[in-house]
Amino acid sequence: MDKPFEPACVFSERAQQLTSSAIREILKVTERPEVISFAGGLPSPAGFPVEVVREAFDRVLSSNGRAALQYGPTEGYAPLREWVAQDLNRAGASVTADQILIVSGSQQGLDLLGKVLVDRDSKVLVEDPSYLGALQSFSLYQPRFAPVPTDDGGLIPEALTPELAEGGRFLYALPNFQNPTGRTLNRERREALVLRAAQLGLPIVEDDPYGELRYAGEPLPSLLSLGRECGANVIRLGSFSKVLAPGLRLGYIAADRGIIHKLVQAKQATDLHTPTLTQMAVYEMVKDGFLARHLPTVREIYRRQGRAMLEAVEREFPASASWTRPEGGMFLWVTLPSHIDSQQLLMQAIEQNVAFVPGGPFYAGTPSRNTLRLSFATVPEDRIQAGIAVLGKLIRQQA
């Protein structure tokens, strides 16, 4: 019999609290080619501009290779920071390049914010449910999560009471095509949210990795731009992962200069700076408008596959189930009859080579175990139909 694992070191209290991502554990199962996986939140590889990326790296190395391979400033490559600031300002923000920090993917941004804003037992407000990666990242710093109620329209601004906000370090929110639900805050709720946060003195961390993936409806102003109008303190996270490629590991934080200064200090202790070569190559790609030309292709991929999933769900799922109808992004959120446990449903589905993510891990508070997340981003339309048919049959058997 194998001996139990014995660590060679004494782990810190923080390390002892680490757990594996529920999604990553499910993805191990989905490595089998026969499995139809709606589990991963990965972008579609069909949208990766491989040749454009290659040409950008070639140009940088040919024209400025020695600088690209050298250490760089922690704040990030200055032309890219300037581009990000201008891009945000075109959408109604009012920021300058010195209010931008380039990070190694927005997931690093979440970690840095946890380092500089969260102490043990400090209160962090999160949507209920919320992005699992953020919950994991913030959990390292041992906060007390305070879930903010949501409904079919997303976060409910009126639920942000003085009692709930008291002592809160910040509210973490995803206003566009939220992960996991796919919901989007309408303009009225956005305005009410930033106004209420300003009145309560509560900073908002606006995470917007999916905002450019809108394929229906009209674009809405960011919380950052609305916050400037009423004095709300909004810290915005953005990413190139969903619009170019996640392997680039490039994102940004936009915030007041004092916050950026402290984040820079934390990043210096973490990795010194985001890779210079990657930053310079991404700037080569975006500086002349390639991103604006490329995004319609990416949006069409998600529009088509999202429509295929919605049509399949409407055809195969029983009337006792309900689901979101996102205007963008990569996810559907399904609510089953209350007696169905989605974790048990997953075990049954895996036996038939279909996978998804149960809803429970996305809740910081009491989980709704009759919920689940479906991602359509990487699944061809014919396999979407086949996989949803399997799930529909399993759900109808229990409904």
Side-chain angles (χ1 to χ4, degrees):
M1 181 181 295
D2 292 337
K3 293 182 179 179
F5 171 73
E6 295 181 2
C9 302
V10 177
F11 290 133
S12 67
E13 182 179 338
R14 180 178 296 117
Q16 292 177 40
Q17 302 214 7
L18 286 171
T19 58
S20 297
S21 164
I23 298 174
R24 295 294 171 182
E25 293 302 309
I26 293 169
L27 289 179
K28 293 178 183 178
V29 177
T30 67
E31 291 175 355
R32 304 198 310 263
E34 67 272 20
V35 174
I36 300 173
S37 176
F38 304 127
L42 285 65
S44 172
F48 298 166
V50 176
E51 285 304 308
V52 173
V53 173
R54 180 186 61 77
E55 292 169 2
F57 275 89
D58 284 348
R59 286 197 302 274
V60 169
L61 288 170
S62 297
S63 64
N64 205 8
R66 296 188 188 281
L69 297 175
Q70 184 57 277
Y71 286 115
T74 303
E75 292 84 350
Y77 182 51
L80 182 60
R81 295 169 69 207
E82 184 63 43
W83 183 90
V84 170
Q86 292 177 2
D87 189 59
L88 292 173
N89 291 342
R90 281 191 291 270
S94 179
V95 296
T96 55
D98 61 351
Q99 294 175 267
I100 305 297
L101 170 64
I102 303 297
V103 291
S104 299
S106 59
Q107 189 68 28
Q108 185 187 56
L110 293 171
D111 179 63
L112 293 175
L113 287 168
K115 285 180 178 177
V116 304
L117 296 178
V118 180
D119 291 314
R120 179 198 289 267
D121 294 328
S122 55
K123 183 189 290 187
V124 172
L125 283 70
V126 295
E127 297 168 297
D128 205 31
S130 187
Y131 170 48
L132 178 57
L135 297 179
Q136 283 187 298
S137 183
F138 298 147
S139 290
L140 275 172
Y141 305 102
Q142 301 171 288
R144 289 183 296 110
F145 286 119
V148 182
T150 62
D151 60 16
D152 289 342
L155 186 146
I156 303 170
E158 294 75 21
L160 196 62
T161 62
E163 293 75 21
L164 184 60
E166 183 179 6
R169 296 297 176 88
F170 58 84
L171 163 66
Y172 173 74
L174 297 94
N176 293 316
F177 327 125
Q178 192 237 24
N179 184 355
T181 66
R183 297 166 178 157
T184 296
L185 281 183
N186 63 29
R187 181 168 186 133
E188 181 181 2
R189 286 199 179 190
R190 290 173 191 236
E191 293 174 346
L193 176 61
V194 295
L195 179 59
R196 188 171 290 259
Q199 293 169 342
L200 294 169
L202 179 70
I204 299 175
V205 173
E206 176 187 26
D207 196 359
D208 190 26
Y210 312 104
E212 295 286 4
L213 302 182
R214 175 178 287 279
Y215 43 77
E218 295 298 322
L220 293 166
S222 67
L223 302 183
L224 177 65
S225 60
L226 292 173
R228 300 293 180 187
E229 300 172 7
C230 64
N233 181 6
V234 179
I235 303 165
R236 180 177 170 86
L237 292 168
S239 174
F240 291 96
S241 292
K242 309 302 187 296
V243 296
L244 287 175
L248 295 168
R249 304 311 306 130
L250 204 65
Y252 67 83
I253 304 175
D256 288 344
R257 292 176 185 85
I259 297 172
I260 291 294
H261 176 69
K262 190 56 65 174
L263 290 167
V264 166
Q265 292 177 328
K267 184 170 170 61
Q268 285 172 349
T270 300
D271 64 355
L272 298 182
H273 65 89
T274 300
T276 308
L277 173 59
T278 304
Q279 293 185 71
M280 293 176 74
V282 167
Y283 178 68
E284 278 293 310
M285 284 181 260
V286 301
K287 68 178 183 179
D288 294 324
F290 166 74
L291 196 55
R293 299 190 297 273
H294 175 63
L295 278 170
T297 300
V298 180
R299 292 174 184 138
E300 177 58 21
I301 293 170
Y302 296 125
R303 185 198 67 79
R304 186 174 62 248
Q305 292 177 200
R307 180 186 62 190
M309 180 170 279
L310 277 172
E311 290 175 350
V313 165
E314 289 166 358
R315 181 173 61 250
E316 302 290 348
F317 283 17
S320 55
S322 61
W323 50 88
T324 56
R325 291 169 173 79
E327 296 180 334
M330 304 159 58
F331 306 109
L332 262 67
W333 183 250
V334 179
T335 303
L336 304 171
S338 59
H339 65 277
I340 299 180
D341 186 324
S342 61
Q343 184 67 46
Q344 295 178 6
L345 180 67
L346 173 64
M347 298 300 101
Q348 298 167 354
I350 287 176
E351 291 178 358
Q352 299 191 38
N353 294 323
V354 176
F356 59 85
V357 183
F362 296 100
Y363 289 87
T366 304
S368 293
R369 300 193 179 278
N370 61 324
T371 57
L372 58 96
R373 191 192 76 177
L374 300 173
S375 175
F376 49 79
T378 59
V379 189
E381 293 179 50
D382 59 335
R383 285 170 67 82
I384 287 175
Q385 294 170 9
I388 294 299
V390 169
L391 285 182
K393 182 177 180 180
L394 290 173
I395 294 168
R396 288 196 305 272
Q397 288 172 353
Q398 302 179 49

